[in-house]
Structure formats: structure tokens, C-alpha cells
Amino acid sequence: MRRRTTLSMTATAALALAALATAPAQAAPADKAQVLASFTQTGAASSTAWQAAHNDQARWAAYDFNWTTDYCSKSPDNPFGFPFKLSCARHDFGYRNYKAAGQFPANKARIDSALYEDLKRVCAPYGTAKKASCNATAWTYYQAVKALGD
């Protein structure tokens, strides 16, 4: 009986450790501000990390992030065929979550800059003329959110 109890406790502990190992995001919601910041930086690594999280939102459920989006709001999501939709979704993520945290004004400029960098990354693979057109459109989108985004 004693051996069975010890074995049962060991198995329970192993299952608990396995659960923690497979769900690190849910194990540490106290770091929500740091995770939010990491998902809203201007660099490509931040964008890539956000896209991975966006594609696996259940893993981040404990953080209670707001993933809703209207994409590029009243502007086209794919202007002139340029796929800006996902970049706009990350921008919405930053706006919505920093507003919920009461820290939007202090982070707005960076979130807007992250949108611009994301849009330029969308434009990067195009040839010269098309890339110039895409970058001009990206600049227009950036100027709009910089001036009008709230």
C-alpha cells in the first residue's frame, strides 16, 4: 500500500511538471507587461514572436490578451495588392492591450513605429518600382496612425 501511494505521488508530480513544461506562457502571467512589450517592438524578431503567438492564442490564454482586430480599420487591408492585413492586426493588438493596461500614451509612438517597420518588411521582397510604391503606401499608413490613431 505504501509503495502504491509513493508511486502514485511520483506519477502525479511527473504529470504536474510535464504540464508546466508544455505551457510556460500559462505558468507565469505575472510577466504580462514584459510579454506584451516583447510582442510590440519594432524589430523582426518581435513581429515573428507575435505572429507565432497569434497563430497559437490558446497557449497565451492565461495572459488574457485582446486579440481582436479590425485589421487596417477604414483603410484597405491589401492596398494595391500589398498584404498589410497581418501588420495591421499586430498594430491593433498593441493598441488594444496597452489601452487595457492603462499604458497606451507611453507606448503609442513605438506601436506606430512597429507598424511602419512591419509594413516595410512586407515591401522588402518587391522589385524596385513596386517596392517604392509599397514603401510609399506604408509611409502613408504610418503617417495616418501617427496623426489619427487612438
Side-chain angles (χ1 to χ4, degrees):
M1 176 82 157
R2 183 174 180 203
R3 183 173 176 190
R4 185 184 304 163
T5 303
T6 303
L7 185 58
S8 177
M9 290 174 63
T10 303
T12 302
L15 287 172
L17 287 174
L20 287 175
T22 60
Q26 294 178 9
D31 67 346
K32 183 175 181 174
Q34 291 83 5
V35 173
L36 176 58
S38 76
F39 287 163
T40 56
Q41 297 301 310
T42 58
S46 175
S47 181
T48 300
W50 176 84
Q51 287 179 29
H54 181 260
N55 292 336
D56 189 11
Q57 294 175 25
R59 180 173 180 215
W60 302 93
Y63 286 85
D64 197 30
F65 286 132
N66 181 345
W67 297 95
T68 64
T69 183
D70 63 357
Y71 299 103
C72 298
S73 302
K74 295 176 181 156
S75 301
D77 296 336
N78 299 299
F80 311 110
F82 304 125
F84 286 179
K85 187 175 182 176
L86 193 58
S87 301
C88 291
R90 184 164 91 109
H91 186 252
D92 285 349
F93 175 87
Y95 268 39
R96 285 169 169 80
N97 286 285
Y98 275 110
K99 284 178 182 179
Q103 298 175 355
F104 178 70
N107 292 282
K108 181 188 183 307
R110 187 188 74 254
I111 298 165
D112 292 346
S113 292
L115 171 68
Y116 184 46
E117 295 303 317
D118 284 350
L119 296 177
K120 290 191 300 183
R121 280 188 283 276
V122 167
C123 299
Y126 292 112
T128 306
K130 195 165 184 176
K131 182 177 180 179
S133 176
C134 184
N135 280 329
T137 305
W139 177 251
T140 301
Y141 274 52
Y142 169 64
Q143 291 300 316
V145 298
K146 187 175 159 187
L148 305 171
D150 62 12

